[in-house]
């Protein structure tokens, strides 16, 4: 008999800054400290969208992607400030420099979070938990900010782990604990499960990972499409996606499913204005400009269409995004239709796509989407 080789697991860290924009503002302006702070669009006029809320504001239910008007209703004494993206980018660059002391396998997801593969770390430390502690301490000492870290053997579990003990948390989920952890996880925590999908799952009696685990892969794909295969794997602790230092972003967008069907062009245009604000804010956050704007329309009978328009130069300004989406909507024919979902996305990011076109195919979660 021959001895079996020991299983070599990856060592993955997910670092997520705590209320990043709001924390930077509270660091730089003492008058904001300890107070409910909302960073994003101001609630006056047509209002904007919340980019980040401080933990003091979150206690009142204020969340990212919420309208600023809604945030003001939930927390009337909140302070509202506009984002300073140039400052956040500088801080983010410093954070990535800290990461690079330990590994070159860094996959930024945004300015405030990233995956790190420290399986073979530069300093020969060997322990992903110790490296996570050192990174957290360096961020605290050098930037006066806090970060939360999740440590595991794959990206999915590490990302979920980083959210468990926020703020300033550190959570390790080892190989022997993953399946039990996944079985207890609420379905809304799974990749690709937004509000609508979560509701569908619960109507099917699927509330936790353990419930999902009872279904065969064919059943999951029948009910949920291709992502069903990912559910089948991840609930068993299987996630083979690599940390991709030069991950290509193919599209960025936002969509909303409405509580009631929209029947007039005025209603549709009003909703497209709101979605355009969210897309615009995320383009700024990720420092992206796109040449192609795509409108997505889903009707009451679940029939779905897309319409797009391309531009000679990349754009990311709110007026162009909003007006183009509304023009595309108008030519779809809105007489006697009922619309249950609208979405706007940008793609064709020009030089970014060309420069990185030799990268591997994107895995689940690599498309930047926001489900409202």
């Amino acid at each position: 008999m021959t001895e079996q080789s020991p299983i070599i697991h990856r060592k993955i860290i997910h670092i997520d800054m705590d209320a990043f924009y709001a924390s930077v503002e509270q660091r730089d302006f003492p008058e904001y400290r300890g107070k409910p702070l909302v960073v994003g669009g101001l609630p006056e006029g047509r209002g904007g969208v919340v980019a980040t809320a401080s933990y003091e504001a979150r206690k009142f239910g204020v969340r990212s992607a919420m309208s600023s008007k809604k945030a003001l209703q939930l927390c009337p004494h909140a302070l509202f400030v506009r984002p300073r993206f140039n400052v956040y980018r500088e801080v983010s660059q410093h954070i990535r420099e800290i990461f690079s002391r330990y590994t070159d396998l860094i996959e930024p997801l945004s300015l405030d979070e990233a995956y790190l593969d420290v399986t073979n770390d530069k300093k020969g430390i060997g322990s992903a938990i110790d490296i996570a502690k050192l990174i957290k301490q360096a961020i605290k000492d050098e930037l006066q900010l806090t970060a939360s870290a999740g440590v595991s053997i794959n990206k999915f579990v590490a990302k979920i782990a980083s959210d468990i003990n926020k703020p300033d948390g550190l959570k390790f989920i080892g190989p022997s604990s993953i399946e039990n952890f996944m079985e207890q996880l609420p379905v809304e925590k799974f990749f690709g499960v937004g509000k609508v999908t979560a509701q569908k799952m619960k109507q099917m009696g699927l509330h936790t990972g353990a419930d999902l685990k009872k279904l065969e892969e064919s059943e999951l794909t029948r009910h949920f499409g291709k992502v069903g295969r990912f559910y089948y794997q991840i609930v068993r602790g299987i996630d083979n996606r690599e940390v991709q230092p030069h991950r290509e972003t193919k599209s960025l967008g936002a969509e909303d499913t409405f509580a009631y069907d929209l029947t007039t062009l005025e209603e549709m245009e009003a909703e497209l204005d709101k979605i355009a604000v969210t897309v615009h804010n995320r383009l700024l956050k990720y420092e992206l400009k796109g040449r192609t704007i795509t409108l997505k329309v889903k009707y009451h009978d679940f029939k779905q269409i897309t319409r797009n328009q391309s531009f000679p130069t990349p754009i990311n300004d709110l007026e162009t995004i909003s007006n183009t989406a509304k023009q595309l909507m108008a030519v779809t024919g809105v007489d006697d239709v009922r619309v249950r979902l609208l979405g706007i996305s940008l793609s064709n990011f020009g030089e970014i796509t060309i420069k990185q076109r030799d990268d591997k195919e994107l895995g689940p979660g690599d498309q930047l989407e926001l489900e409202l």
Side-chain angles (χ1 to χ4, degrees):
M1 293 181 65
T2 58
E3 281 190 27
Q4 286 188 329
S5 300
I7 297 173
I8 305 299
H9 293 294
R10 289 193 187 118
K11 299 174 183 178
I12 307 296
I13 302 173
H14 179 258
I15 298 285
D16 191 7
M17 299 300 295
D18 298 322
F20 183 48
Y21 303 163
S23 295
V24 171
E25 298 299 333
Q26 290 179 321
R27 179 197 69 178
D28 293 348
F29 300 98
E31 61 269 30
Y32 296 154
R33 294 174 193 168
K35 296 180 180 178
L37 182 70
V38 176
V39 180
L42 304 182
E44 290 81 14
R46 296 179 67 182
V49 173
V50 175
T52 304
S54 69
Y55 283 97
E56 293 86 356
R58 294 182 189 192
K59 292 177 182 177
F60 293 86
V62 179
R63 294 288 182 269
S64 299
M66 176 182 288
S67 73
S68 298
K69 289 183 180 293
K70 176 67 173 177
L72 184 62
Q73 292 173 359
L74 292 172
C75 187
H77 58 294
L79 303 173
F80 287 80
V81 298
R82 291 193 178 278
R84 297 182 297 149
F85 284 103
N86 59 325
V87 176
Y88 309 148
R89 281 191 285 268
E90 289 177 9
V91 175
S92 181
Q93 288 169 2
H94 191 146
I95 294 168
R96 290 180 195 176
E97 188 277 321
I98 292 173
F99 295 162
S100 69
R101 299 170 194 174
Y102 301 93
T103 181
D104 292 326
L105 295 177
I106 303 163
E107 181 182 331
L109 301 177
S110 62
L111 294 178
D112 59 342
E113 63 174 318
Y115 290 115
L116 288 70
D117 187 329
V118 296
T119 308
N120 299 297
D121 68 279
K122 289 181 177 180
K123 299 191 175 185
I125 295 170
S127 167
I129 298 173
D130 288 345
I131 294 170
K133 289 178 180 177
L134 289 167
I135 288 172
K136 281 168 48 64
Q137 193 60 49
I139 291 172
K140 192 173 292 186
D141 292 343
E142 298 173 30
L143 292 163
Q144 294 77 55
L145 297 169
T146 63
S148 293
V151 180
S152 192
I153 62 171
N154 63 51
K155 291 165 69 172
F156 184 92
V157 180
K159 183 173 174 65
I160 294 173
S162 68
D163 195 48
I164 290 177
N165 294 323
K166 270 186 165 288
D168 199 16
L170 173 59
K171 177 68 175 178
F172 168 66
I173 302 176
S176 62
S177 306
I178 287 180
E179 278 210 58
N180 183 58
F181 173 78
M182 296 305 300
E183 287 174 358
Q184 297 181 44
L185 195 68
V187 292
E188 55 266 27
K189 292 287 188 180
F190 277 74
F191 161 76
V193 179
K195 290 181 180 177
V196 176
T197 305
Q199 184 179 9
K200 177 180 177 180
M201 285 183 170
K202 290 176 181 178
Q203 287 173 347
M204 294 170 59
L206 306 174
H207 299 275
T208 65
D211 297 327
L212 286 176
K213 201 171 183 179
K214 295 173 185 176
L215 299 185
E216 295 294 332
E217 183 177 334
S218 58
E219 293 179 278
L220 287 168
T221 54
R222 187 172 72 251
H223 288 294
F224 305 107
K226 292 180 181 179
V227 75
R229 183 171 184 272
F230 186 74
Y231 299 153
Y232 181 83
Q233 292 180 326
I234 197 59
V235 77
R236 290 162 174 79
I238 303 168
D239 179 10
N240 295 320
R241 293 175 299 156
E242 296 179 357
V243 171
Q244 301 176 36
H246 303 291
R247 188 187 66 174
E248 175 187 350
T249 299
K250 289 189 174 179
S251 71
L252 180 152
E255 61 184 41
D256 197 1
T257 301
F258 311 112
Y260 59 92
D261 293 338
L262 308 183
T263 57
T264 68
L265 182 59
E266 289 75 17
E267 288 179 315
M268 298 169 199
E269 289 185 338
E271 295 300 334
L272 286 172
D273 277 335
K274 296 176 188 176
I275 297 169
V277 170
T278 302
V279 174
H280 174 249
N281 286 343
R282 286 177 67 81
L283 286 167
L284 294 179
K285 178 176 179 179
Y286 293 101
E287 304 174 66
L288 291 172
K289 292 184 178 181
R291 287 189 174 90
T292 302
I293 295 176
T294 299
L295 170 72
K296 174 180 175 182
V297 184
K298 186 179 290 185
Y299 298 103
H300 75 286
D301 58 0
F302 290 89
K303 177 186 175 184
Q304 182 174 302
I305 64 167
T306 59
R307 298 288 184 270
N308 62 68
Q309 180 175 331
S310 295
F311 297 83
T313 58
I315 60 97
N316 69 349
D317 64 287
L318 176 59
E319 186 175 0
T320 301
I321 297 168
S322 180
N323 288 344
T324 302
K326 288 188 283 189
Q327 289 167 9
L328 292 170
M329 187 74 232
V331 299
T332 62
V334 296
D335 294 332
D336 300 319
V337 299
R338 288 155 51 196
V339 172
R340 73 184 311 269
L341 177 148
L342 289 171
I344 303 172
S345 63
L346 266 79
S347 58
N348 194 4
F349 293 124
E351 292 179 1
I352 295 175
T353 303
I354 296 170
K355 183 173 63 179
Q356 298 179 354
R357 64 186 174 190
D358 293 330
D359 287 354
K360 296 182 180 179
E361 296 244 343
L362 298 186
D366 284 342
Q367 180 171 319
L368 296 172
E369 290 277 342
L370 177 63
E371 181 168 324
L372 299 179

